[in-house]
Amino acid sequence: MYSTLISAEQLGLAFSKSSLIIVDCRHDLMDAQAGRNAYDAGHIAGAVFANLDHDLSGAKHDDNGVFRGRHPLPKPDDLLAALRRFGINNETQVVAYDAHGGMFAARLWWLLRSIGHASVAVLDGGLAAWTAAGHILQTEFVQNPAGEIVAKPPLNTQLDVAAIVKNLNADDEKKLQIVDARAADRFRGENETIDPVGGHIPGATNRFFKDNLQADGRFKSAEQLRQDWQSLLNDPEKAVMQCGSGVTACHNLLALEIAGLHGTALYPGSWSEWCSDATRPVATGT
């Protein structure tokens, strides 16, 4: 079972397994059709396509019309319906990939773990590593037989905006460490082009998700990630990851899992939800 990363070589050897499902998670935050267009132009043989906005996210507003962020988590039944459409069963080894260092594939990894499915891994190095290994792409649309995956107890945790608000005034011994996965300039409140307000949640620290990667787009070693994250986190079980909309925060959570540092929560609404309410405080700078 692969539960964090799988290499291109390992994936090539796993192709003979009937229980394998590969999911193309490519996306562009500035072009909603880019991922599907890229899939149609060429994808790993047998891969199905997952749309970040429709398959891996839920409605932007709750039943009361309150904004939940740009990519809120899908409702559990909606997530299960998408996973079954992909052909995923309880025993399926799922491999998620993208062409962006795992920033979107990690979202599917986290979502599957949120319903107790441990056999899910991100293709290390993504599509570039696959093609560099000599594999060709296909353009055929893939439709798998419907899967029968069911939800089991979650393997991860999440916190809502109320918990983050409460954390602002928590005693030091109870305070959670918030880590923002966005680029440093957006964290400081500079060059904000996606959300209407620039800045970060007061008290948060910054760890750009791309700092989890080597120059070739593959993840750093488990030892290096452990060293990096232990220098930042006081206690993984008292930390929460967030980003702009709850997507790249999953990349940091994957890096922590690779490093053997467990128990960190996700704040799914992240900055896009936080900054939508003017009563919530905003910090800028470092």
Side-chain angles (χ1 to χ4, degrees):
M1 179 184 76
Y2 298 94
S3 59
T4 53
L5 297 175
I6 185 171
S7 69
E9 180 181 8
Q10 290 167 330
L11 179 57
L13 294 173
F15 253 88
S16 60
K17 297 182 179 180
S18 59
S19 60
L20 175 71
I21 295 288
I22 304 172
V23 185
D24 187 319
C25 300
R26 283 178 286 177
H27 187 72
D28 186 333
L29 294 174
M30 298 302 182
D31 181 357
Q33 296 301 315
R36 181 67 203 210
N37 291 340
Y39 174 84
D40 291 341
H43 50 265
I44 294 176
V48 296
F49 178 71
N51 184 287
L52 175 65
D53 293 326
H54 304 298
D55 299 320
L56 308 184
S57 302
K60 291 181 172 61
H61 295 83
D62 65 16
D63 294 338
N64 296 316
V66 178
F67 185 67
R68 301 168 57 227
R70 286 185 283 108
H71 295 105
L73 300 182
K75 293 180 179 179
D77 286 347
D78 293 337
L79 174 60
L80 284 170
L83 298 175
R84 289 166 181 163
R85 190 174 70 252
F86 299 155
I88 297 173
N89 297 305
N90 289 334
E91 68 276 9
T92 300
Q93 172 67 62
V94 181
V95 174
Y97 77 89
D98 57 35
H100 319 282
M103 67 180 290
F104 301 116
R107 169 70 166 220
L108 177 58
W109 171 84
W110 190 93
L111 285 172
L112 277 160
R113 288 177 58 82
S114 76
I115 59 166
H117 193 83
S119 298
V120 53
V122 169
L123 176 59
D124 197 15
L127 195 64
W130 183 250
T131 55
H135 300 287
I136 61 172
L137 305 181
Q138 72 171 36
T139 57
E140 291 82 0
F141 174 75
V142 177
Q143 180 68 59
N144 292 323
E148 299 177 347
I149 187 172
V150 297
K152 292 174 288 187
L155 301 172
N156 49 28
T157 57
Q158 57 178 287
L159 296 176
D160 61 15
V161 67
I164 306 302
V165 171
K166 182 179 180 180
N167 187 64
L168 292 175
N169 298 313
D171 296 335
D172 287 345
E173 63 271 17
K174 295 182 180 180
K175 190 178 286 291
L176 298 170
Q177 186 175 1
I178 301 173
V179 181
D180 191 321
R182 293 176 299 162
D185 58 341
R186 291 185 64 206
F187 176 82
R188 294 192 301 265
E190 304 165 3
N191 306 318
E192 181 58 65
T193 59
I194 300 177
D195 293 306
V197 179
H200 58 267
I201 299 171
T205 55
N206 185 218
R207 163 75 178 192
F208 188 28
F209 78 93
K210 288 187 178 179
D211 290 342
N212 298 319
L213 303 174
Q214 304 174 112
D216 64 1
R218 293 177 174 85
F219 276 79
K220 294 176 180 177
S221 69
E223 294 76 15
Q224 184 62 58
L225 288 171
R226 187 175 183 86
Q227 180 179 327
D228 290 353
W229 280 98
Q230 284 184 323
S231 69
L232 178 66
L233 295 184
N234 299 319
D235 181 354
E237 294 186 359
K238 294 179 65 177
V240 56
M241 298 293 129
Q242 53 95 186
C243 53
S245 63
V247 176
T248 58
C250 297
H251 197 281
N252 278 350
L253 288 162
L254 173 57
L256 285 167
E257 197 69 20
I258 295 166
L261 302 172
H262 314 297
T264 302
L266 171 69
Y267 167 35
S270 288
W271 179 248
S272 59
E273 179 185 40
W274 183 268
C275 73
S276 67
D277 186 337
T279 66
R280 299 182 192 127
V282 171
T284 56
T286 57

